[in-house]
Amino acid sequence: MKKLLLFVFFTISILNSAQNPVHFRLHSHNEIQDNQEGINYTVTATYNLIKSALTQIKDTVVKYQAKWNMQVESNFIKACLINDNAFSSSTDFLQASDSHSLIEVDPHGHMNTTQGFNYNPNNYADLAHLLDSCGLTPARTNVGGFLYKDTDWSNPASEDWTTWKNGLVGNAYPGYTWTPTTLWGGGTPGHTNDFNAFGVWRPAGTNSVTFGQNASGNLINIGNGCKKWAIDDTTNITALYNYLSSYINYCYSAPTTTATFYTASATMNFRGFLSNNGSTIYTPMIDSVSKFLRKMNTLKTAGKIVYENLTETRTNWLALHSVPTESFMIQCVNIVLGVNENEITEKGFGIYPNPATDQLNVLNTTGNPLINIYDHKGVIVKSQNVELQEVKIDLKELSPGIYYIKCGNAYRRFMKE
C-alpha cells in the first residue's frame, strides 16, 4: 500500500510540475549600530572608503546584470549629504545609484529614542524625506527591512507597520508623511525569530501566525527567502551557493498552481566592506560578493532565477494577481533539502546537493554501512556499503526523477536531474 501511495503522489507531482523561476535580488543594509563598531560614515575619509567599496560592488552587479536593493539608514544618508553635497549634486553616490536601472535605493531604519551610541530619532518617513533631500526621485515606497513583531512598540504610530498603509508621519520631520506600498524583511529583534519565506502576500498581523496569513487590505510583503542567505566576511560562498541552489532548484521544479510565485534574496551589510574601525577597505568581502554573483550567473543562464528589484517584483506580481485576496507563501521550514545539521544529529545522515546530477554526497554517522536508493515505485535501484562517514554515490546510471535514500531506519528524498 505504501508503494502505491508513493507512486500516486509522484505521478500527481509530475502532472502538476512546471518551471518556476525565482524572482531574485541582492539586498544590503547599513545600520545605526555601525557607529558602535567604530564606523562613522560622516567622517570624510571613512565615507570615501565605503563609497569606493560600494562602487566596486556596483561594478560587479553591472557585470553580471544582477539587481540590487540598497537599503540605507540615516547615518549613511546624512554622510552622503555632508560629504557628497547630495542636496545640490546630481552625481552624489545615492542619487547616481538610484538612477541606475539595476539599483533601487530604499529606506532601512530602526528608530531608537534612547540616548547613546544607537540613538536614532528617524522613523521610515524621516528616512524617505532625507532621501528626497539627496535628490532621489520620489516616491520610494519599499520598506527595506523591518520588524514584523516586537516586544515593545512603545510608539506604535512610528513602529507598527500595520498602520503604515494609511501614511506614516515623520518623527524627526513631523511635517512629512510617507505612504509605502511594499514590505520586505520580516525580522525580529536580534533576528531570533525571523519570518523566512518565499512568495508575495499581504500580512494580516504582528505575530508569527497572523504575519503568514493574507489580509486583502494590507501592504504587500515580498518574501526574502531563508535567513542563512547572507554574505559576510566569514561566509563560505561555495557552501552558500550550494545551499541556496538547492532551494531554488526545488522552487524551479516544484508542483505549481496559478498563484505560484517564488521570491528570494541574498543580503550583505555595509560594515562588512570596511575593516580596522572603518580605516581600510576589506577586499575579501568584495571578492566574496563577486564570487557569489559569478556562481549565481549559472542559475540565471539556466533560467532558474530572474533578477528583479522589489518594485519590479511587485509590478510583475500585480500583473498576474490583481485581486488582493490572491497570495502565495511558503515558509523555509516547510522545505527540507540538502544537509540539515539538526537532522544529521538526530537521524544520523544527510545528503547534498539536492537536486543532484552525477553524484550525491552522503554524510553517514548511523553506524549502518548499507545505503539503499529506491525509485518512485519503491524498488531498490542501487545499494552500496559505505566505510567512511562521508561518501560519494555515483548517480550517472539513474534516470532523472524523484528517489529515496535509506540508511538504517531513516529516509531522505532527493531529485536526480
Side-chain angles (χ1 to χ4, degrees), residues 219-331:
L219 296 171
I220 279 179
N221 184 79
I222 295 176
N224 56 285
C226 301
K227 181 178 180 179
K228 293 183 179 179
W229 300 348
I231 306 170
D232 60 31
D233 58 343
T234 63
T235 300
N236 181 321
I237 296 299
T238 299
L240 172 64
Y241 171 79
N242 288 339
Y243 183 73
L244 192 153
S245 180
S246 293
Y247 278 85
I248 288 177
N249 278 316
Y250 167 87
C251 299
Y252 182 75
S253 58
T256 185
T257 69
T258 55
T260 301
F261 195 94
Y262 287 99
T263 63
S265 54
T267 61
M268 50 193 181
N269 199 295
F270 278 19
R271 65 173 170 260
F273 297 115
L274 300 179
S275 57
N276 299 321
N277 294 324
S279 62
T280 56
I281 293 176
Y282 189 62
T283 303
M285 176 68 175
I286 296 172
D287 293 341
S288 290
V289 176
S290 179
K291 182 179 180 180
F292 176 77
L293 288 179
R294 184 169 64 252
K295 284 183 169 292
M296 291 299 292
N297 200 53
T298 303
L299 295 176
K300 175 189 173 186
T301 302
K304 294 184 178 181
I305 64 169
V306 177
Y307 279 120
E308 294 174 348
N309 60 41
L310 288 174
T311 299
E312 290 168 337
T313 297
R314 172 189 169 84
T315 299
N316 289 332
W317 166 263
L318 290 176
L320 297 170
H321 307 282
S322 59
V323 180
T325 54
E326 293 182 305
S327 65
F328 176 79
M329 189 275 290
I330 179 169
Q331 288 185 257

Side-chain angles (χ1 to χ4, degrees), residues 73-140:
E73 250 286 14
S74 56
N75 51 345
F76 186 80
I77 303 172
K78 290 178 178 178
C80 189
L81 286 164
I82 293 169
N83 294 293
D84 238 354
N85 297 318
F87 56 90
S88 61
S89 170
S90 61
T91 59
D92 66 272
F93 179 74
L94 283 174
Q95 187 174 355
S97 297
D98 192 59
S99 298
H100 199 286
S101 61
L102 300 178
I103 304 173
E104 190 169 51
V105 177
D106 309 314
H108 165 68
H110 299 298
M111 189 175 72
N112 182 357
T113 56
T114 302
Q115 293 293 329
F117 258 125
N118 299 329
Y119 173 71
N120 180 17
N122 300 284
N123 64 14
Y124 272 90
D126 297 319
L127 298 177
H129 179 57
L130 287 170
L131 287 172
D132 288 349
S133 301
C134 290
L136 277 67
T137 303
R140 281 149 310 286

Side-chain angles (χ1 to χ4, degrees), residues 204-224:
T206 60
N207 61 55
S208 55
V209 175
T210 56
F211 187 77
Q213 298 172 345
N214 190 68
S216 59
N218 285 354
L219 296 171
I220 279 179
N221 184 79
I222 295 176
N224 56 285

Side-chain angles (χ1 to χ4, degrees), residues 164-218:
W164 295 356
K165 60 188 177 184
N166 301 316
L168 175 64
V169 176
N171 182 63
Y173 305 98
Y176 185 86
T177 300
W178 181 63
T179 305
T181 64
T182 309
L183 301 166
W184 178 87
T188 50
H191 294 285
T192 57
N193 193 19
D194 294 353
F195 198 92
N196 301 303
F198 302 97
V200 179
W201 72 101
R202 300 170 187 265
T206 60
N207 61 55
S208 55
V209 175
T210 56
F211 187 77
Q213 298 172 345
N214 190 68
S216 59
N218 285 354

